[in-house]
């Protein structure tokens, strides 16, 4: 233990909470842990963690409490009976939830005189502790600044703003991006796999393509902000023709086409809304106003 390091309590020792506690321990923080199923603390205790017998004891042990349980219902199940102990503590909640739940949690924490910071973890447990991985935070800038050195041990801490719902909002948006991207990659992998190309051969090419795609996003972001989509690179009309090639190639090889059909439908609705000659960024118009073109 380093005398200059804040003592930390980690509540919740599932896959993620265990990874958080392990990194804090490794980096020299006095770490107290609590989990509903106490046996999950065993290997952390072997490495020097204190196991609290109750959530009350866990909260009392440290000025900084990091909570990472399944959902907000579990969070309340654990913390409600111990809420009186939270006065004067900093509660950093890394449990996934919605922006509305984050707002509710701030009000709840305030009613118990606790400082509250909401967070979202943008990695899986093996990535915890890497400065390349983002941890998103929103809400109290005071809690963020006071505990930034500790939070920085878990991953790169980004404070998105004082609205406590922002971390959950970004988390939802980024997971949507991840699932769309991974499903698109798997669809492409199935397509080339139908011609005996292994995923390991296709994926380096796909990853290189994602770098180009990242450049398209950067080009299109100011177009979205301006509501003006000059179709001087590739128009929606051109992309509708191109997606037909994908649909044809995949269908001819027996691959499920529900993802590209969904994408084509959004492009067609964009064209019907008058954006055929505009850039792909104009698809945001039908995403923002789904009823108008239904
Ligand atoms: P997990 O392995 O399933 O662990 C769930 C944790 O919640 C366990 O500590 C569990 O306790 C506790 N829990 C569930 N219901 C409870 C209840 N009613 N009362 C008390 N404790 C309860 O899940 P995880 O992967 O660690 O995920 C934890 C949070 O991190 C989730 O919000 C998740 O979305 C978020 N997250 C996870 C990842 C990831 O890659 N795993 C990435 C980003 C964010 P028991 O051990 O007693 O069951």
């Amino acid at each position: 233990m380093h005398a200059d390091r804040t003592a930390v309590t980690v509540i919740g020792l599932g896959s993620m909470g265990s990874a958080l506690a392990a990194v804090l321990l490794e980096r020299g923080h006095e770490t107290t842990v609590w989990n509903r199923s106490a046996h999950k603390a065993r290997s952390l205790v072997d490495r020097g963690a204190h196991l609290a017998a109750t959530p009350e004891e866990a909260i009392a042990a440290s000025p900084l409490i990091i909570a990472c349980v399944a959902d907000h219902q579990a969070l309340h199940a654990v913390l409600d009976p111990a809420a009186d102990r939270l006065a004067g503590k900093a509660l950093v909640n890394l449990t996934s939830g919605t922006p509305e739940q984050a707002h509710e949690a701030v009000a709840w924490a305030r009613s118990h005189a606790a400082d509250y910071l909401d967070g979202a973890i943008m990695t899986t447990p093996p990535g915890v502790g890497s400065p390349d991985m983002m941890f998103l935070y929103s809400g109290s800038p005071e809690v963020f600044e006071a505990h930034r050195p500790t939070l920085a041990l878990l991953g790169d801490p980004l404070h998105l703003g004082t609205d406590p719902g922002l971390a959950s909002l970004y988390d939802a948006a980024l997971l949507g991006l991840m699932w769309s991207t991974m499903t698109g990659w798997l669809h492409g992998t199935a397509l080339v796999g139908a011609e005996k190309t292994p995923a390991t051969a296709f994926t380096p090419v796909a990853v290189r393509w994602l770098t180009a795609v990242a450049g398209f996003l950067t080009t299109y972001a100011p177009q979205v902000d301006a509501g003006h989509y000059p179709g001087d690179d590739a128009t929606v009309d051109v992309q509708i023709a191109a997606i037909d090639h994908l649909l044809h190639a995949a269908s001819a090889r027996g691959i499920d086409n529900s993802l590209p059909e969904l994408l084509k439908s959004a492009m067609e609705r964009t064209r019907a809304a008058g954006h055929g000659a505009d850039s792909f960024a104009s698809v945001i118009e039908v995403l923002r106003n789904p009823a108008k073109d239904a």
Side-chain angles (χ1 to χ4, degrees):
M1 199 225 353
H2 291 234
D4 58 336
R5 300 228 162 123
T6 312
V8 187
T9 286
V10 177
I11 289 182
L13 299 176
S15 317
M16 189 48 92
S18 296
L20 300 171
V23 167
L24 292 166
L25 268 177
E26 265 164 35
R27 311 287 165 93
H29 279 265
E30 182 177 347
T31 306
T32 298
V33 295
W34 181 87
N35 192 55
R36 179 180 62 175
S37 311
H39 68 90
K40 292 189 185 167
R42 225 168 270 148
S43 82
L44 291 161
V45 169
D46 288 346
R47 283 174 275 165
H50 309 292
L51 174 61
T54 60
E56 288 84 344
E57 199 180 304
I59 292 167
S62 316
L64 172 62
I65 319 294
I66 296 179
C68 186
V69 289
D71 52 28
H72 276 246
Q73 207 181 345
L75 186 73
H76 279 296
V78 175
L79 293 185
D80 279 352
D84 289 351
R85 300 294 177 92
L86 280 169
K89 306 282 181 176
L91 174 61
V92 175
N93 180 30
L94 295 176
T95 303
S96 299
T98 64
E100 288 68 28
Q101 287 174 322
H103 282 279
E104 182 275 331
V106 167
W108 174 87
R110 200 168 284 149
S111 75
H112 295 287
D115 290 326
Y116 179 93
L117 185 68
D118 208 75
I121 303 170
M122 303 315 300
T123 184
T124 53
V128 174
S130 162
D132 295 334
M133 297 298 150
M134 293 187 292
F135 275 57
L136 308 180
Y137 296 98
S138 56
S140 169
E142 293 79 17
V143 177
F144 180 75
E145 284 310 328
H147 295 288
R148 186 202 279 264
T150 305
L151 301 177
L153 300 176
L154 303 174
D156 185 14
L158 305 187
H159 190 259
L160 300 173
T162 53
D163 176 343
L166 281 172
S168 293
L169 194 67
Y170 271 59
D171 184 34
L174 293 174
L175 289 175
L177 171 61
M178 177 186 79
W179 289 317
S180 309
T181 305
M182 293 203 303
T183 309
W185 164 68
L186 289 168
H187 185 268
T189 299
L191 178 58
V192 300
E195 300 291 342
K196 311 266 183 282
T197 300
T200 44
F202 174 61
T203 299
V205 180
V207 168
R208 195 165 160 194
W209 175 232
L210 284 180
T211 308
V213 173
F216 305 153
L217 305 192
T218 305
T219 300
Y220 289 152
Q223 295 188 11
V224 169
D225 285 345
H228 178 62
Y229 318 99
D232 48 16
D233 53 355
T235 63
V236 169
D237 284 339
V238 163
Q239 305 219 37
I240 288 173
I243 203 165
D244 278 336
H245 305 147
L246 171 62
L247 286 162
H248 174 88
S251 156
R253 287 159 182 81
I255 308 298
D256 180 282
N257 259 342
S258 41
L259 177 67
E261 270 157 10
L262 180 76
L263 301 175
K264 185 180 176 190
S265 147
M267 290 183 214
E268 283 178 330
R269 285 182 287 135
T270 305
R271 175 165 66 188
H275 296 287
D278 288 344
S279 80
F280 195 84
S282 61
V283 171
I284 194 140
E285 294 288 337
V286 302
L287 299 181
R288 279 179 174 157
N289 305 296
K292 255 179 25 187
D293 63 298

